[in-house]
Amino acid sequence: ETGVTQTPRHLVMGMTNKKSLKCEQHLGHNAMYWYKQSAKKPLELMFVYSLEERVENNSVPSRFSPECPNSSHLFLHLHTLQPEDSALYLCASSRRIMNTEAFFGQGTRLTVV
Amino acid sequence: ILNVEQSPQSLHVQEGDSTNFTCSFPSSNFYALHWYRWETAKSPEALFVMTLNGDEKKKGRISATLNTKEGYSYLYIKGSQPEDSATYLCAFIRGGSNYKLTFGKGTLLTVNP
């Protein structure tokens, strides 16, 4: 238990669906992150929020839309995804951005059919 | 694209052996280097955050060194145990006007009893 909770743990969605991934931390951290782990590829950083402001967007397609309503919650809204978007999506938080250790959630295993 | 290489890709050792692996990264615009341990079916767990050239950090039987001038970090495990079996990931963070975090592909360590 890392203190970072992600829901749902598994998600199967069609290409025309809209769904959201949720991440929650009550560690008092100021930075939150979305990562993607595709098969046989390194972990990829998607988005970074610091104090609820987005500070990094690694050229992620617009079909992924993050939202950080407060410092404890982070969402990833998904719409019109492709089968190649199937992956493990991990959320993480850290006390400060980038130079303190990150605590990861257990991830959402997403399958797009 | 930042080149972050980890070697070896995988490693099998016997219980009690000591082992080490390498993370290579660009030697310019260094901001921080993170080491994580990722066991199957669990979340990545932070081991070390290293920010200064010459840093040496230790946690139990695991230690790490950092050379930012030549662009490498070593992770050492002394007296490996079966529970050390995991993928060990490094993440390089480039500084500058905006942060850029890049993970290596990891070293998969298997410790045989």
Side-chain angles (χ1 to χ4, degrees), chain B residues 7-8 10-11 13 17-23 35 63 65 73-78 80 107 109:
Chain B
S7 62
S10 64
L11 191 56
V13 302
D17 287 351
S18 293
T19 186
N20 65 84
F21 11 98
T22 308
C23 173
W35 279 101
S63 59
T65 61
S73 175
Y74 293 137
L75 189 81
Y76 301 91
I77 303 179
K78 187 176 172 182
S80 305
T107 292
L109 173 68

Side-chain angles (χ1 to χ4, degrees), chain A residues 54-67:
Chain A
R54 192 192 307 183
V55 296
E56 180 88 14
N57 174 352
N58 275 350
S59 306
V60 179
S62 59
R63 56 187 185 270
F64 295 92
S65 172
E67 181 193 359

Side-chain angles (χ1 to χ4, degrees), chain A residues 73-96:
Chain A
H73 293 87
L74 185 65
F75 294 90
L76 188 62
H77 304 299
L78 315 170
H79 61 99
T80 58
L81 294 194
Q82 305 297 311
E84 59 265 29
D85 296 321
S86 300
L88 179 69
Y89 289 85
L90 287 162
C91 172
S93 70
S94 63
R95 193 157 38 92
R96 293 189 308 274

Side-chain angles (χ1 to χ4, degrees), chain A residues 37 41-43, chain B residues 6 8-11 21 35-47 75 77 83-90 103-111:
Chain A
Q37 168 85 82
K41 284 188 170 183
L43 262 177
Chain B
Q6 288 190 248
Q9 267 191 324
S10 64
L11 191 56
F21 11 98
W35 279 101
Y36 290 90
R37 177 187 135 96
W38 196 355
E39 284 181 72
T40 305
K42 293 190 176 180
S43 323
E45 173 198 351
L47 290 173
L75 189 81
I77 303 179
E83 57 265 31
D84 295 329
S85 297
T87 297
Y88 290 82
L89 298 167
C90 69
F103 271 90
K105 288 187 177 179
T107 292
L108 174 60
L109 173 68
T110 305
V111 182

